[in-house]
Structure formats: structure tokens, C-alpha cells
């Protein structure tokens, strides 16, 4: 394991989420020290005792700090003390909670904006921060109508695009989520322009993130989030039209850590995405997991139509020095992990010989 960065401290938010956990792994593997901001002691315990973290044996290089409410005034002032970099991923996500339309702004937009501004203000007060990396979304660059196929896209989207904040009420949680990304990006860029801090800010804009979700502890949990798109098709679900933009989780994670490097230009945005044809998911599943398909573990009869969204990513790939992985690798990662978790779950229902022997001994002594 690299150790040259061990004296460099990263404050990381969102580490108990799909993207954040993988970013944490990349930070630790690169040798950085990480202070993870978490909302509760139980989340700190989850991180510190997770088997993947334990295998890395980070020791004192990984610590946790409690930040119960990211939107509270001065929420990060203590957490940021002594840090050199910030990777800010935490923000409200869609979670099938059926948030009432009247509460969309309070649930999605207000916390996203206040959390981002709190982090930037804490970084400015701290005085040791060199760069802040903020996780945004392509939804901050491309109008919802174009993402859902209801409006034509006049040209390919770029990382330099900015769109106006759509006014409430929003007709879906996705529209409210997208508005939160638009609002947070605008607020951050306005703050930087007005405050002229000593550090610079990089905004990363992933599309639909697909990849092994290591915080999922069961096959059911693996169906949460954007992985549900690939898994849904493999398991027989039929979707409406979906935008042709996905990105492998591994690419997203390494871009977050790579964004700390001085050769990556600061003060700008980078899009993380590649073109996907959703109709090809079943083809890839059948080729990569033939036994599971044959046994109907994966019915592989779902479907989704693709509406094409054009996005320029050449500048991202040049800056970070990698080509985005395609759909095949994304499907292998998502579906392979689902099958692993399913097998583990079934195995846990079958007691081994030692378990049976111990059980009999207990009953004999009772």
C-alpha cells in the first residue's frame, strides 16, 4: 500500500453511500489519511468495521467525525480542521420515500445548497484547504426534459453548460433532485466568484452510476439506487425510456481521487459518462452469466428503451488519463455482485456441519 500521502488529510462526506464508500477505498488505497464525516455513531461503526475497510488495515489513517446535520450553520467548521482536501459527496438522494411535492424543496434543494455552502465556508475559515471536490450530476448540466426524452437535445452537452433552476412545484422526485443539483452548483460557483478563496473547486458530474455496491449486505439491498436499472432488466422488469448515459462506479471513484492532483485543472467541471444502449443489457447478461440465466436465477426478460443523450467527455478523459469503461464492465460488476450476495444469503440459510453439531450439543446440555 502506498504511504507517501499518509500525512495528507482528506475530509470526506457521504462515505456510507454507494459512491462515497468506493471513493473512501480509493483514498485509503492511495495512501491518504481520511476523516469521514458521518451523521451518527452507528454509521461510524459501520465504516470502521466493514470487512473491506478491515482488509485495508488503515489504522489511524481512517477516523470519523460526527456531523449530524450537514445543513446546520457551521456544520463542518470543526470537521475540516487540519484537512488539506475536501471531497464533498453527501447530498439528498432519491430513495423511493414518496416525498410529497410540497416538501420537495425542503427535502432536496435546501439541504443540498446549505450543505455545499457550509462546506465551502468551513474550508475558507480553515485556511489549510488546497482543493474542494464536489459531486454533482449530469442533471445539473442537462434539462430534465432532455434527460427523460420529452424534449429534443439541440446539441451535445458539455461540462461548461449551465441551466436555469426550474421553479417548483416539481412533477417528480427526479425533477426535484435535478433541481437540487442545479441550485447547489450555481450557489457554489457564485460563492467562489464572490469570495475568491485561496483554494479552487472541482465539480464532477456523473451520469447513472453502475457498479458493485459494497455497502449492500444482501441481494435485496443491491437493488437500491441506480444499479436497479441494470438489475431490473436482468430480473425481468420493464422500464420506460432511459437516457443513454451511464458510468462505471470505479471510474467515478478514481476520478474523485484523481481530481486532487495538480495536473487536473481546478475551477471547472468534468463529466463522467459514456454512451449506453439499454437494449444491450440482456445480451451482455446472457453472455456473461449463462448458467444463472439458464437456471432462471436471472430471468433476463426485462427491457428498457434508450433515448439518446449526447455528452462530450473527451476533455475529462484527457485530464484524468483514462477511457470510461463500457456497458459490459458495468453489467459484470453489478450483476456479478448481486449473484454473490444471493449465493451468500442462500448459504446463510443452510447450517454447516459444525453449526448443527454445536446446536445438538447445546440441546443435549439443556
Amino acid at each position: 500500500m502506498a504511504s507517501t500521502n499518509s500525512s495528507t488529510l482528506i475530509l470526506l462526506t457521504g462515505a456510507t453511500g454507494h459512491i462515497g464508500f468506493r471513493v473512501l477505498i480509493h483514498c485509503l488505497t492511495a495512501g491518504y489519511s481520511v476523516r469521514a464525516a458521518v451523521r451518527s455513531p452507528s454509521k461510524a461503526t459501520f465504516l470502521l468495521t466493514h470487512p473491506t475497510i478491515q482488509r485495508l488495515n488503515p489504522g489511524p489513517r481512517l477516523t470519523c467525525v460526527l456531523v449530524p446535520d450537514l445543513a446546520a450553520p457551521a456544520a463542518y467548521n470543526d470537521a475540516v480542521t487540519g484537512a488539506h482536501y475536501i471531497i464533498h459527496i453527501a447530498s439528498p438522494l432519491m430513495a423511493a420515500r414518496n416525498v410529497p411535492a410540497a416538501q420537495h424543496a425542503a427535502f432536496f434543494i435546501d439541504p443540498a445548497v446549505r450543505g455545499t455552502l457550509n462546506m465551502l465556508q468551513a474550508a475558507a475559515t480553515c485556511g489549510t484547504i488546497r482543493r474542494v471536490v464536489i459531486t454533482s450530476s449530469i442533471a445539473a448540466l442537462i434539462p430534465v426534459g432532455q434527460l427523460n426524452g420529452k424534449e429534443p437535445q439541440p446539441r451535445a452537452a458539455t461540462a461548461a453548460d449551465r441551466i436555469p433552476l426550474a421553479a417548483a412545484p416539481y412533477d417528480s422526485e427526479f425533477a426535484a433532485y435535478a433541481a437540487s443539483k442545479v441550485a447547489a452548483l450555481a450557489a457554489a460557483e457564485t460563492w467562489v466568484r464572490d469570495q475568491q478563496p485561496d483554494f479552487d473547486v472541482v465539480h464532477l458530474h456523473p451520469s447513472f452510476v453502475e457498479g458493485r455496491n459494497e455497502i449492500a449486505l444482501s441481494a435485496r439491498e443491491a437493488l437500491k439506487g441506480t444499479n436497479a436499472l441494470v438489475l431490473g432488466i436482468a430480473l425481468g422488469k420493464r422500464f420506460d425510456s432511459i437516457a443513454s448515459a451511464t458510468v462505471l462506479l470505479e471510474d467515478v471513484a478514481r476520478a474523485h481521487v484523481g481530481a486532487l492532483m495538480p495536473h487536473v485543472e481546478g475551477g471547472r467541471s468534468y463529466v463522467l459518462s459514456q454512451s449506453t444502449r439499454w437494449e444491450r443489457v440482456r445480451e451482455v447478461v446472457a453472455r456473461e452469466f449463462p448458467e444463472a440465466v439458464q437456471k432462471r436465477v436471472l430471468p433476463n426478460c426485462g427491457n428498457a428503451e434508450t433515448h439518446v443523450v449526447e455528452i462530450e467527455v473527451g476533455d475529462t478523459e484527457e485530464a484524468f488519463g483514462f477511457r470510461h469503461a463500457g456497458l459490459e464492465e458495468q453489467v459484470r460488476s453489478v450483476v456479478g455482485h448481486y449473484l454473490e450476495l444471493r449465493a451468500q444469503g442462500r448459504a446463510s440459510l443452510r447450517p454447516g456441519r459444525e453449526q448443527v453439531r454445536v446446536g445438538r450439543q447445546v440441546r443435549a446440555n439443556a
Side-chain angles (χ1 to χ4, degrees):
M1 179 182 297
S3 59
T4 56
N5 298 320
S6 60
S7 62
T8 303
L9 177 62
I10 299 171
L11 174 64
L12 172 65
T13 72
T16 57
H18 185 199
I19 294 175
F21 188 81
R22 195 63 198 164
V23 171
L24 172 61
I25 298 303
H26 273 252
C27 289
L28 294 173
T29 301
Y32 290 104
S33 292
V34 179
R35 180 184 296 150
V38 296
R39 293 194 177 194
S40 67
S42 64
K43 288 185 178 294
T45 300
F46 172 84
L47 282 183
L48 296 172
T49 62
H50 193 283
T52 303
I53 300 295
Q54 291 290 300
R55 283 193 293 272
L56 291 175
N57 190 27
R61 289 193 300 116
L62 175 59
T63 57
C64 294
V65 58
L66 293 181
V67 181
D69 182 3
L70 59 83
Y76 293 108
N77 283 16
D78 292 335
V80 77
T81 300
H84 303 97
Y85 295 105
I86 296 171
I87 300 179
H88 181 46
I89 300 173
S91 191
L93 296 172
M94 294 178 294
R97 300 176 186 176
N98 297 317
V99 178
Q103 297 177 22
H104 278 169
F107 184 87
F108 290 102
I109 299 174
D110 295 346
V113 171
R114 290 202 299 268
T116 298
L117 292 179
N118 280 344
M119 182 61 81
L120 291 172
Q121 289 161 358
T125 301
C126 171
T128 59
I129 298 301
R130 304 168 190 169
R131 174 169 288 181
V132 177
V133 178
I134 299 177
T135 310
S136 183
S137 166
I138 60 167
L141 310 175
I142 305 173
V144 170
Q146 294 176 26
L147 285 173
N148 62 24
K150 294 181 180 179
E151 300 173 4
Q153 187 185 26
R155 59 171 177 79
T158 73
D161 288 337
R162 298 294 181 268
I163 59 178
L165 176 63
Y170 303 104
D171 60 7
S172 67
E173 286 193 7
F174 178 71
Y177 163 80
S180 77
K181 293 302 185 183
V182 172
L185 175 62
E189 293 187 326
T190 298
W191 185 93
V192 170
R193 185 169 57 250
D194 292 345
Q195 301 299 319
Q196 296 291 307
D198 293 334
F199 56 85
D200 58 27
V201 178
V202 170
H203 297 274
L204 299 179
H205 302 266
S207 56
F208 292 119
V209 179
E210 305 292 333
R212 181 185 184 92
N213 185 359
E214 291 176 286
I215 65 170
L217 301 179
S218 69
R220 182 181 295 274
E221 290 178 0
L223 286 162
K224 295 179 180 179
T226 49
N227 280 353
L229 297 173
V230 165
L231 281 174
I233 294 172
L235 294 173
K237 185 171 182 178
R238 296 183 178 271
F239 296 94
D240 294 330
S241 180
I242 306 176
S244 62
T246 62
V247 60
L248 181 68
L249 172 63
E250 196 72 6
D251 286 346
V252 176
R254 65 171 168 166
H256 277 75
V257 181
L260 305 178
M261 296 293 98
H263 69 267
V264 175
E265 181 184 353
R268 56 162 298 176
S269 288
Y270 297 92
V271 179
L272 303 169
S273 187
Q274 60 85 55
S275 181
T276 281
R277 300 295 301 188
W278 291 99
E279 295 85 353
R280 291 194 56 235
V281 170
R282 291 195 310 187
E283 167 197 332
V284 178
V285 170
R287 183 174 65 248
E288 298 293 334
F289 305 99
E291 183 178 352
V293 173
Q294 183 180 15
K295 293 181 177 180
R296 303 291 293 170
V297 173
L298 300 173
N300 205 29
C301 56
N303 196 22
E305 296 182 1
T306 302
H307 71 264
V308 176
V309 175
E310 298 286 350
I311 305 173
E312 294 287 348
V313 298
D315 55 345
T316 297
E317 294 183 339
E318 181 178 357
F320 289 91
F322 68 81
R323 295 290 301 273
H324 288 91
L327 177 65
E328 290 82 358
E329 192 164 347
Q330 295 170 30
V331 171
R332 283 196 295 268
S333 180
V334 172
V335 178
H337 187 228
Y338 169 80
L339 293 174
E340 286 179 26
L341 291 173
R342 190 177 185 276
Q344 291 169 10
R346 291 174 64 86
S348 68
L349 297 177
R350 297 192 300 270
R353 292 182 178 178
E354 181 64 20
Q355 291 173 298
V356 172
R357 188 194 67 77
V358 172
R360 288 173 177 166
Q361 185 67 36
V362 169
R363 286 195 297 272
N365 293 337

